[in-house]
Amino acid sequence: MRYFARSVLLPERLLMSSTDPIALFRQAVDRWPENIALVVGEEQLSYADLDRRSDAIAAELVRAGAVGQRVVLIADRTTSWVFEAVLGIMKAGASCVPLLPEGPLDRWTSMLDRCGARLGLISPSGSEAALRVERPHVEWIAPKSESNGMSGALPVPVSNDQEAYVLFTSGSTGGPKGVGVSRANLSAYLGHLLARYQFSASDRFSQHFALPFDLSFHDLFVCWASGATLCVRPESGWLRAAAWARSMGITVWFSAPSLAGVMRRARALTVGALPSIRYSFFCGEALPWQLAQDWRIAAPASRIINLYGPTEATIAITSFEILPDMATVQGVVPIGRSIGSDRTLVAPFEGAPPGEGELLLSGPQVTKGYINAPEATQKAFVELPGQEGLWYRTGDHVREDADGILHFVGRIDHQVKRFGQRIEPGEVDEAMQPLLDGGNAVSVPVLMNGATQLVTFIDVAADVRWLMDQLRTKLPVVYLPERIISLPEIPRNTNGKWDRVKLIQMAQHDAG
Amino acid sequence: MANGTVSNSFKWRNMTQDELKAEIHAQLTTRLSRLGMKASEVDDELDLVRTGLLDSLGFIDLVAALEDVTGKQVDLEAALVQENATTVSSLLRLFR
């Protein structure tokens, strides 16, 4: 392996924190230029290749005036291009706004409008064509991925405040909310994580998460900080994820617990089925103890770490390691303690038992709020008397035990998690309302066969088929209700609010 | 999906492809009726998961239900290597 000296000193190195994602990537390029950085489909890219190609995209973006701007990207992970583009956007000192390739178009437009992006990247597949028609005022840039002679360092100074990416979380009113995560937020996360766990340039990282979920940024930048190989799982590969992990020789696994649940159900978690894995990280939803223990049987050489954190506090902010000698306990694995310098605080709410309350977070990983949504920001990002800094209210109900370990109890609001995705039932209701001719819609979560389903009650007679077809054009598939139940009147409680407890009972009864 | 399915092992027999398809449609009936759809609208090449008809766990449950009915155990990991694995026609191949 040769060592390539870079001819130009990058200004951003002088400005940025030492764990800035791009600075870390560039260090890896310098140290391991010939290591494989990315495996996607039949393609394999070395660090030098990935660096050169993303430089070419960055150069094109800089020429188009993208520095400091938000750049929309339809994040189709079937080719290496989208990974080059993410790097290119960040190298150009711009902010990446990845959108789910499957749309729907209505959601793309609302997200684009919400964050006010005026630039978009044209992909080789042209999957953004419909969005280009819908939003002609956006300037669409067609970067040449191959180097056009502008390889090497781009003299783009990037400050810590520069946004790295924008991701959207479900909002109970007003549609999805945009969260802008800064380079400093991401640097803090990478610094915390890389100090705790030891990865090497021979590691092979799984890449399961779609790019519009922030956990994908862990995949990319933890891997590339280590000079390791990022292995992108094909979209349809969830059916045979264990065989895929074996064939790729995955050593660092990161997924939502629900994927492990699917693997167990498919009888793939047999003894020693995942022998090469040495780190297993789970995040995105509660990890059942039993599932963690079953995982250990399949991956006996692996450390198993439960990560917890909302997008608003950059990827993950607490962790809990399940040790082999721990007894299997009922319920879910604790979310643990802060992984770094961020602080946690359990704020008691009315009626909460001692030691329990809403989890609040503050520190370098916590973002500044929601984009163009001052009201939602004021509600969720608060100052506390006698406490320094801005605190993010997670809405998660937790319990802190005598050892200072945090346990997830539930939600203090109606938010639902499906396959690691946050869904506000109110967002489904809001999407359905205009279809109901003045009627009401109230969605509630129902646990069926161990999985959370949404059931939506409406108080008008409606063609369910037509409603579902309409919803499909507005919401991602995971948001779609399992069923729609029409009632003459939706019950209210004594306060005049929707009686969700009764609705959940009705939905459960109805399902049986 | 699998709830209500009884493993009636004494009834195992080789099913024809038509019988198998009818069984798949029967398994989907509840979900389909909730979406306001009829089984006849389910094309063999319709992707049951990408369309939101089933989620990933629901699909695995459907396979488990078909295992119960046919008495066959399939190796999902080995069998579902091709693209569009989550269609009716793929299931028909799997239990052929």
Side-chain angles (χ1 to χ4, degrees):
Chain A
M1 213 164 285
R2 284 181 304 145
Y3 179 82
F4 288 92
R6 296 192 80 90
S7 52
V8 185
L9 181 66
L10 298 159
E12 68 210 65
R13 281 206 189 156
L14 304 174
L15 294 169
M16 298 302 301
S17 116
S18 60
T19 55
D20 174 70
I22 296 300
L24 289 170
F25 172 74
R26 288 199 149 116
Q27 280 169 27
V29 174
D30 283 348
R31 284 187 68 183
W32 303 286
E34 287 162 24
N35 273 17
I36 300 299
L38 180 67
V39 179
V40 49
E42 303 293 306
E43 288 177 279
Q44 282 205 6
L45 259 64
S46 70
Y47 273 83
D49 289 339
L50 186 56
D51 190 40
R52 203 186 64 247
R53 293 192 187 184
S54 53
D55 270 359
I57 294 175
E60 199 77 29
L61 282 166
V62 170
R63 267 198 291 277
V67 180
Q69 300 284 314
R70 296 189 175 121
V71 180
V72 169
L73 174 69
I74 307 298
D76 174 359
R77 291 183 299 145
T78 52
T79 67
S80 64
W81 181 82
V82 76
F83 297 92
E84 298 158 16
V86 170
L87 272 173
I89 291 169
M90 286 172 63
K91 281 180 171 180
S95 167
C96 181
V97 187
L99 302 179
L100 273 184
E102 58 266 34
L105 180 60
D106 271 14
R107 206 167 172 80
W108 281 354
T109 54
S110 82
M111 287 174 170
L112 194 152
D113 295 347
R114 172 56 62 97
C115 74
R118 291 193 313 266
L119 292 170
L121 271 184
I122 295 177
S123 65
S125 69
S127 49
E128 64 292 323
L131 190 56
R132 290 170 67 183
V133 174
E134 284 296 312
R135 290 295 180 271
H137 64 275
V138 173
E139 187 187 340
W140 292 91
I141 305 156
K144 289 171 280 296
S145 162
E146 274 308 315
S147 174
N148 50 5
M150 285 211 51
S151 66
L154 286 146
V156 179
V158 179
S159 82
N160 269 316
D161 291 334
Q162 170 59 40
E163 203 174 75
Y165 55 82
V166 176
L167 300 178
F168 291 86
T169 68
S170 184
S172 53
T173 55
K177 293 177 289 191
V179 180
V181 174
S182 72
R183 294 282 275 259
N185 293 145
L186 192 49
S187 300
Y189 174 73
L190 292 171
H192 292 155
L193 201 94
L194 293 168
R196 279 183 90 87
Y197 308 106
Q198 283 72 51
F199 307 107
S200 84
S202 55
D203 272 319
R204 295 175 67 84
F205 281 65
S206 69
Q207 211 284 293
H208 296 294
F209 294 104
L211 298 181
F213 300 109
D214 64 344
L215 304 180
S216 66
F217 283 80
H218 164 117
D219 292 337
L220 271 59
F221 289 103
V222 174
C223 177
W224 292 337
S226 313
T229 303
L230 188 69
C231 305
V232 182
R233 196 205 71 208
E235 204 63 58
S236 59
W238 58 268
L239 270 168
R240 46 190 312 274
W244 171 82
R246 278 195 297 277
S247 70
M248 299 305 291
I250 296 299
T251 61
V252 181
W253 174 280
F254 188 28
S255 80
S258 49
L259 180 59
V262 168
M263 291 162 75
R264 180 173 62 184
R265 197 87 69 97
R267 298 186 296 265
L269 296 188
T270 52
V271 180
L274 302 165
S276 56
I277 299 180
R278 59 186 206 94
Y279 276 108
S280 302
F281 295 96
F282 293 102
C283 194
E285 60 204 351
L287 173 64
W289 268 107
Q290 189 57 55
L291 186 57
Q293 302 292 8
D294 292 344
W295 185 267
R296 186 180 300 289
I297 291 168
S302 179
R303 291 172 67 178
I304 303 176
I305 295 129
N306 187 30
L307 294 176
Y308 159 89
T311 302
E312 289 87 338
T314 314
I315 304 175
I317 200 159
T318 71
S319 74
F320 183 87
E321 178 159 1
I322 300 111
L323 300 171
D325 57 359
M326 282 179 183
T328 301
V329 186
Q330 289 292 312
V332 296
V333 172
I335 58 175
R337 287 197 183 91
S338 173
I339 58 167
S341 59
D342 287 83
R343 291 169 299 159
T344 61
L345 189 146
V346 180
F349 50 82
E350 212 188 306
E356 294 187 19
E358 181 184 7
L359 180 60
L360 273 62
L361 305 168
S362 184
Q365 285 184 221
V366 177
T367 59
K368 292 204 167 80
Y370 302 110
I371 295 166
N372 297 328
E375 218 171 286
T377 300
Q378 266 179 26
K379 259 170 100 176
F381 294 80
V382 297
E383 282 176 15
L384 298 179
Q387 295 280 352
E388 236 179 89
L390 202 61
W391 292 80
Y392 171 64
R393 299 182 54 181
T394 62
D396 284 329
H397 175 182
V398 300
R399 173 172 63 82
E400 187 169 355
D401 68 21
D403 299 323
I405 291 174
L406 298 166
H407 300 251
F408 179 77
V409 178
R411 287 291 300 178
I412 63 165
D413 56 17
H414 306 298
Q415 192 186 88
V416 182
K417 282 240 169 162
R418 292 206 68 205
F419 299 96
Q421 278 200 58
R422 283 158 58 172
I423 303 171
E424 295 287 350
E427 192 175 344
V428 178
D429 300 344
E430 212 175 62
M432 203 174 295
Q433 220 93 59
L435 309 169
L436 294 177
D437 199 23
N440 294 292
V442 183
S443 301
V444 292
V446 184
L447 200 64
M448 279 190 274
N449 304 333
T452 305
Q453 310 274 18
L454 271 185
V455 174
T456 304
F457 289 88
I458 57 174
D459 55 7
V460 288
D463 179 352
V464 169
R465 169 71 182 277
W466 178 81
L467 274 180
M468 291 299 285
D469 283 346
Q470 293 295 310
L471 277 184
R472 216 170 272 138
T473 68
K474 293 164 173 274
L475 298 171
V477 164
V478 288
Y479 282 59
L480 299 178
E482 161 72 13
R483 68 173 316 188
I484 298 170
I485 299 174
S486 178
L487 298 175
E489 201 178 340
I490 299 173
R492 291 174 188 268
N493 60 25
T494 46
N495 300 325
K497 294 185 171 174
W498 303 124
D499 192 343
R500 291 171 193 274
V501 177
K502 180 145 190 219
L503 289 174
I504 290 170
Q505 284 168 357
M506 288 171 76
Q508 247 144 8
H509 181 72
D510 194 75
Chain B
M1 184 52 51
N3 55 343
T5 310
V6 184
S7 176
N8 42 0
S9 50
F10 54 92
K11 277 188 191 164
W12 287 349
R13 65 196 170 86
N14 284 327
M15 295 173 92
T16 65
Q17 289 278 289
D18 282 347
E19 287 173 321
L20 199 54
K21 194 193 277 193
E23 181 61 35
I24 294 170
H25 287 166
Q27 292 286 341
L28 293 172
T29 304
T30 313
R31 180 69 182 134
L32 286 170
S33 72
R34 288 173 180 184
L35 296 172
M37 288 174 73
K38 293 189 186 75
S40 55
E41 294 175 75
V42 180
D43 185 88
D44 283 2
E45 299 308 321
L46 183 78
D47 194 311
L48 301 173
V49 174
R50 281 191 198 181
T51 52
L53 208 57
L54 298 176
D55 57 29
S56 47
L57 275 175
F59 181 78
I60 301 282
D61 284 344
L62 172 59
V63 172
L66 294 174
E67 286 182 336
D68 278 350
V69 175
T70 59
K72 273 188 195 166
Q73 256 213 8
V74 295
D75 182 351
L76 272 176
E77 295 243 297
L80 298 169
V81 288
Q82 84 281 24
E83 285 296 304
N84 308 322
T86 48
T87 59
V88 173
S89 66
S90 159
L91 286 171
L92 290 174
R93 277 196 300 277
L94 197 56
F95 285 94
R96 182 151 51 199

